[in-house]
Amino acid sequence: MAQQAVQKNTLYVGGLAEEVNESILHAAFIPFGDIKDVKTPLDQATQKHRSFGFVTFLEREDASSAMDNMDGAELYGRVLTVNYALPEKIKGGEQGWAAQPIWADADTWFERQQQEEEMQRMQAENRAAMQAAEDLHRKKKTEEREGEKEEEIEMKDDPMARAEAEVLKQND
């Protein structure tokens, strides 16, 4: 069996009493942080929830503290089981597919594409800047070497410069 990815900001809440609805579940978990969504899947036959639900927080840290504090807590006389939720699956088939339309994650796909393009652009700029810096460094080194050669040539032609160089050598 393949390891399923855990959704770190969505919690599975099991052991719900029959009286608990989505607004009660929301009220029980809101002290831990902003909630994005609350679901209590219904039994198709009875139209009542199946004694579990899902609470999705905006922040992972809030979900983590809610799980730490609410797992084993009591709500309407029932002890809750709170864990990170596994991704939704449609019943049937070995893999199961997310119960969302294929276009549901299009926005995040475009965001990921834009982020990827931005990263590539920044890396290209960094490479270009590094190349320019290396080229500049090489050019300066070459100019320095050529400048030293010119000084040597000038000293050979200039008797005063030769005399100064001799004195400097003697002082060292």
Side-chain angles (χ1 to χ4, degrees), residues 29-159:
F29 281 83
I30 194 68
F32 302 102
D34 293 331
I35 292 176
K36 181 179 174 184
D37 191 28
V38 176
K39 287 182 186 162
T40 53
L42 299 179
D43 183 325
Q44 297 303 317
T46 64
Q47 288 303 305
K48 293 181 181 176
H49 68 72
R50 297 168 8 208
S51 77
F52 67 89
F54 298 96
V55 179
T56 304
F57 286 88
L58 291 177
E59 302 294 330
R60 288 178 173 202
E61 295 78 24
D62 297 340
S64 176
S65 77
M67 183 173 69
D68 292 344
N69 286 284
M70 294 298 284
D71 187 39
E74 209 173 286
L75 184 64
Y76 281 72
R78 303 269 305 265
V79 176
L80 300 178
T81 302
V82 182
N83 294 307
Y84 288 122
L86 295 175
E88 289 183 48
K89 293 194 329 182
I90 292 177
K91 288 182 182 171
E94 196 175 309
Q95 292 289 318
W97 297 96
Q100 294 180 339
I102 196 163
W103 58 86
D105 73 340
D107 291 341
T108 58
W109 184 85
F110 285 117
E111 282 176 24
R112 287 193 308 270
Q113 289 301 111
Q114 286 176 326
Q115 288 170 351
E116 183 69 27
E117 288 170 11
E118 180 70 10
M119 276 298 279
Q120 288 174 352
R121 187 185 61 73
M122 288 171 64
Q123 288 172 344
E125 284 177 10
N126 284 348
R127 280 194 298 271
M130 290 295 286
Q131 186 65 46
E134 284 178 21
D135 292 347
L136 186 63
H137 181 71
R138 277 195 208 100
K139 186 177 176 185
K140 281 185 179 178
K141 284 289 186 193
T142 304
E143 286 173 0
E144 284 174 15
R145 277 191 231 110
E146 287 173 0
E148 289 170 7
K149 287 177 188 171
E150 285 173 15
E151 286 173 17
E152 288 172 16
I153 293 168
E154 286 173 11
M155 279 201 323
K156 287 178 188 169
D157 297 341
D158 183 359

